[in-house]
């Protein structure tokens, strides 16, 4: 064995099987005897343990964990002897691998494992933070409700980043919407009139500027409104970071730690900004969705079918079912324009635009608005249809529509009707005796040809009689036992005959119910029905099964 100037070996140490050049090995090597004394150290061990010399007491030169490992080495099994021991020496982390030598000596190979441990810790932290960000994205993007998204953001910030969090939404006038969250407490939202300048960096964060470093913020200057009620103890460390959105800031996030906890590190500030970026994107999406939903709701108010009721002694009822269950509007539509006085005519219209969905609904809205503007001309159906046709031909829409107009006026016990069809299915009238008549009105559709030709028919409804306007979604509803048969006009007429004497609302409910039962769960077109009924004041009504109203003394055919 060769020795270095720093090695002090006994003569018997020549039999130690540690290699010929162990003294110059890059790893620190320390040899200890069974009596707990230092036998030898190589150059690297001498630099690590500068006070260690041959003959010194081992417990005086090495940390307690290494001395305990050497003391217990002899009593361990071979399997346990081969396992390394771990501990710190001079602020570094080492693995100590024992090798038995002659005369009961033990050679301890000390491997510096600090960098590997730091790399593993950094990797574990990165993986943990990546998992947190992934869960945050999933939780935040799972809701498009803005208030709920703010609550989730504050709650997750407290769970993973700080002892307390305050989410500050973009200013609404002079007030700020705040979402407070603290460990062990509920998430609380409020609107407060506060001074943004009282929190350093908050005004800049709400404008989307980069965050102020945490070390620049004095925790003692944080105002009370920025500290949740559940936060105990003085504030020890603060982060104020923006919540970046899609083009405009989505707010700011204030993170607080108690003075009893470790202050935010630079790595935690970076992680907070990454979390804020995920939260800001989710908040921005939720706010945009809320704005679009509000706009859609406002626009839909003019597209939805109106609620029908009794006008000047005449009953009106309507029902609409879109082709898609999730849609509220489509290509079928109806509308009513009540007369100002009983001597004037109430205008009722029902139509069908080519196509389905929102595009068709937009055109139905245009038709309804145009007809509303043409009300002063409603006494001339032909002229109204011609003007409507011209308006559709000059628009950017390429769709056409069918339409039926009904002008209604009550005179005594009778109800006078003027009916005009523009390419639409002719209205049906059920008389008091159950007979069903098809009104002989016809015409060309609107929005396709330069001229519109239509025939207007005058008719009268007696007490208890009903005129039914409907779209082809009813007659062409495909279903039945085999699922491939149309509901058809004959079946519709038979169903309408059973509704003789019923109020308008009951007639509409009955027809829609039968058509719905016919198609089952199959796909279908838009379906719209309007009933115009002349009430029979001498007929008492009672409820009979499934909400259908029928006159006393008359039962519907089954």
């Amino acid at each position: 064995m060769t020795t270095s100037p720093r090695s002090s070996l006994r003569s018997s140490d020549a039999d130690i099987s540690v290699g010929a050049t162990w003294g110059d090995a890059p790893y620190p090597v320390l040899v200890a005897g069974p009596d707990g004394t230092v036998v030898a150290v190589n150059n690297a061990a001498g630099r690590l343990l500068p006070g260690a010399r041959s003959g010194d007491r081992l417990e005086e030169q090495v940390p307690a964990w290494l001395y305990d490992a050497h003391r217990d080495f002899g009593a361990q099994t071979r399997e346990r002897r081969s396992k390394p021991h771990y501990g710190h020496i001079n602020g570094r982390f080492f693995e100590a691998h024992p090798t038995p030598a002659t005369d009961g000596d033990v050679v301890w190979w000390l491997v510096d494992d600090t960098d590997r441990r730091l790399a593993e810790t950094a990797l574990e932290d990165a993986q943990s933070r990546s998992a947190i960000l992934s869960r945050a994205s999933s939780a935040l993007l799972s809701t498009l409700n803005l208030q709920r998204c703010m609550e989730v953001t504050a709650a997750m910030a407290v769970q993973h980043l700080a002892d307390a969090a305050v989410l500050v939404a973009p200013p609404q006038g002079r007030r700020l919407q705040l979402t407070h969250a603290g460990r062990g407490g509920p998430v609380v939202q409020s609107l407060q009139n506060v001074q943004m300048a009282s929190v350093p960096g908050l005004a800049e964060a709400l404008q989307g500027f980069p965050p102020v470093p945490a070390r620049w913020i004095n925790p003692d200057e944080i105002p009370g409104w920025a500290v949740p009620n559940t936060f105990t103890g003085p504030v020890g460390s603060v982060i104020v970071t923006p919540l970046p959105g899609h083009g405009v800031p989505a707010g700011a996030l204030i993170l607080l730690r108690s003075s009893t906890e470790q202050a935010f590190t630079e790595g935690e500030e970076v992680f907070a900004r990454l979390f804020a970026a995920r939260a800001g994107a989710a908040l921005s999406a939720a706010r945009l969705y809320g704005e679009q939903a509000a706009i859609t709701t406002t626009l839909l108010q003019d597209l939805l079918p109106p609620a029908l009721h009794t006008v000047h002694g005449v009953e009106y009822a309507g029902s609409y079912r879109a082709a898609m269950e999730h849609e509220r509007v489509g290509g079928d539509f109806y509308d009513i324009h009540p007369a100002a006085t009983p001597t004037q005519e109430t205008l009722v219209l029902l139509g069908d635009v080519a196509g389905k969905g929102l595009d068709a609904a937009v055109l139905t809205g245009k038709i309804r608005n145009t007809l509303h503007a043409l009300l002063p001309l409603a006494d001339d159906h032909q002229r109204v249809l011609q003007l409507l046709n011209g308006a559709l031909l000059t628009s950017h829409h390429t769709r056409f529509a069918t339409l039926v107009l009904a002008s209604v006026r009550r005179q005594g016990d009778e109800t006078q009707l003027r009916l005009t069809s523009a390419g639409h299915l002719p209205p049906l009238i059920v008389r008091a005796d159950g007979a069903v008549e098809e009104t002989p009105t016809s015409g060309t559709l609107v929005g396709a040809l330069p001229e519109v030709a239509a025939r207007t028919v005058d008719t009268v409804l007696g007490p208890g009689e009903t005129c039914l306007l409907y779209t082809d979604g009813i007659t062409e509803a495909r279903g039945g036992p085999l699922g491939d048969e149309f509901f058809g006009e004959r079946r519709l007429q038979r169903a309408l005959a059973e509704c003789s004497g019923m109020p308008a609302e009951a007639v509409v409910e009955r027809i829609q119910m039968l058509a719905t039962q016919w198609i089952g769960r199959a796909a279908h077109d838009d379906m719209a029905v309007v009933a115009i009924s002349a009430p029979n004041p001498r007929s008492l009504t009672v409820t009979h099964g499934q909400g259908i109203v029928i006159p006393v003394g008359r039962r519907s055919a089954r």
Side-chain angles (χ1 to χ4, degrees):
M1 174 182 297
T2 59
T3 62
S4 67
R6 293 187 60 87
S7 302
S8 177
L9 305 179
R10 299 175 306 182
S11 60
S12 61
D13 292 332
D15 295 329
I16 298 176
S17 301
V18 294
T21 60
W22 78 279
D24 297 322
Y27 293 108
V29 180
L30 180 146
V31 183
D35 58 351
T37 59
V38 176
V39 176
V41 293
N42 71 347
N43 294 336
R47 290 190 293 271
L48 180 64
L49 303 168
R53 296 289 187 275
S54 177
D56 291 345
R57 298 295 302 170
L58 184 64
E59 60 183 314
E60 297 175 356
Q61 302 299 327
V62 300
W65 65 270
L66 183 57
Y67 173 75
D68 293 340
H70 178 76
R71 184 189 60 193
D72 299 337
F73 183 81
Q76 295 174 347
T77 63
R78 177 176 297 181
E79 180 180 357
R80 292 194 60 189
R81 283 182 176 185
S82 62
K83 292 184 179 180
H85 299 265
Y86 306 94
H88 287 86
I89 301 178
N90 295 338
R92 305 284 292 179
F93 193 86
F94 283 85
E95 288 184 0
H97 298 263
T99 301
T102 57
D103 299 330
D105 292 346
V106 179
V107 181
W108 291 96
W109 301 79
L110 306 178
V111 180
D112 191 338
D113 199 39
T114 305
D115 294 337
R116 185 180 69 85
R117 290 281 176 140
L118 291 175
E120 287 182 350
T121 301
L123 178 60
E124 290 175 357
D125 290 344
Q127 291 175 337
S128 175
R129 291 178 176 179
S130 177
I132 291 172
L133 293 176
S134 178
R135 291 196 299 272
S137 295
S138 298
L140 292 169
L141 294 175
S142 64
T143 177
L144 288 175
N145 181 283
L146 181 58
Q147 303 302 319
R148 175 59 181 163
C149 195
M150 289 191 291
E151 291 177 356
V152 173
T153 298
M156 294 197 73
V158 169
Q159 182 180 0
H160 300 293
L161 298 172
D163 297 328
V166 181
L167 190 153
V168 184
Q172 299 179 3
R174 297 183 177 181
R175 297 189 297 176
L176 292 178
Q177 183 174 6
L178 307 176
T179 304
H180 292 83
R183 289 186 179 175
V187 178
V188 179
Q189 293 186 326
S190 62
L191 276 172
Q192 298 186 30
N193 190 356
V194 298
Q195 295 293 329
M196 289 186 292
S198 59
V199 177
L202 178 58
E204 293 78 6
L206 288 172
Q207 298 179 43
F209 290 104
V212 174
R215 64 180 182 275
W216 291 5
I217 302 176
N218 185 357
D220 297 333
E221 297 179 355
I222 300 299
W225 64 262
V227 181
N229 294 332
T230 56
F231 188 86
T232 58
V235 179
S237 185
V238 182
I239 289 178
V240 179
T241 182
L243 295 169
H246 300 301
V248 294
L253 187 63
I254 303 174
L255 303 176
L256 308 174
R257 276 188 181 172
S258 172
S259 59
T260 59
E261 299 291 334
Q262 178 185 0
F264 289 110
T265 63
E266 292 186 5
E268 288 172 329
E269 288 189 64
V270 173
F271 180 55
R273 290 197 291 271
L274 293 175
F275 175 83
R278 305 289 182 97
L283 289 167
S284 183
R287 181 172 284 108
L288 179 61
Y289 174 81
E291 293 173 353
Q292 292 177 340
I295 294 173
T296 301
T297 300
T298 302
L299 295 177
L300 275 178
Q301 297 304 315
D302 287 336
L303 297 179
L304 293 175
L308 304 187
H309 49 82
T310 299
V311 178
H312 301 315
V314 181
E315 295 179 358
Y316 301 92
S319 175
Y320 172 74
R321 181 180 180 186
M324 299 295 182
E325 296 298 333
H326 63 279
E327 294 179 348
R328 301 173 62 191
V329 294
D332 288 6
F333 64 98
Y334 60 83
D335 208 345
I336 182 173
H337 299 281
T341 65
T343 60
Q344 295 178 312
E345 291 180 323
T346 293
L347 181 65
V348 180
L349 60 104
L350 179 139
D352 184 359
V353 172
K356 303 182 182 69
L358 185 59
D359 289 340
V362 171
L363 184 55
T364 67
K366 180 172 183 177
I367 293 175
R368 291 172 63 188
N369 291 335
T370 303
L371 289 173
H372 188 273
L374 296 175
L375 280 179
L377 308 176
D379 58 338
D380 187 346
H381 287 185
Q382 177 66 38
R383 188 179 181 188
V384 168
L385 292 174
Q386 189 63 47
L387 292 173
L388 174 62
N389 185 67
L392 294 182
L393 289 176
T394 57
S395 71
H396 68 279
H397 295 284
T398 58
R399 300 176 185 269
F400 56 87
T402 64
L403 199 69
V404 59
L405 300 178
S407 293
V408 187
R409 179 169 53 196
R410 177 77 178 271
Q411 281 193 343
D413 291 339
E414 296 181 341
T415 300
Q416 296 182 344
L417 277 77
R418 288 190 302 114
L419 300 169
T420 304
S421 172
H424 200 82
L425 297 170
L428 299 177
I429 296 177
V430 56
R431 298 300 182 182
D433 60 358
V436 177
E437 301 174 2
E438 184 178 283
T439 306
T441 177
S442 61
T444 56
L445 49 81
V446 293
L449 302 174
E451 297 293 332
V452 174
R455 177 187 177 190
T456 300
V457 174
D458 293 335
T459 187
V460 175
L461 297 180
E465 296 180 344
T466 297
C467 176
L468 185 74
L469 314 180
Y470 58 96
T471 61
D472 58 7
I474 297 293
T475 55
E476 296 180 4
R478 192 182 295 272
L482 300 180
D484 59 351
E485 184 179 356
F486 284 142
F487 188 73
E489 294 184 8
R490 290 186 178 181
R491 190 171 282 105
L492 174 61
Q493 292 182 13
R494 289 198 300 268
L496 186 59
E498 299 175 351
C499 300
S500 174
M502 291 184 181
E505 186 174 353
V507 174
V508 166
E509 181 182 349
R510 176 69 172 170
I511 299 302
Q512 279 282 25
M513 181 189 70
L514 292 176
T516 301
Q517 291 176 346
W518 182 257
I519 62 177
R521 297 184 178 180
H524 60 87
D525 200 356
D526 297 331
M527 297 188 296
V529 180
V530 171
I532 305 170
S533 297
N536 187 352
R538 295 184 298 274
S539 177
L540 299 177
T541 58
V542 297
T543 301
H544 177 267
Q546 299 187 11
I548 302 171
V549 182
I550 64 173
V552 173
R554 175 182 177 88
R555 296 183 61 86
S556 59
R558 299 293 181 186

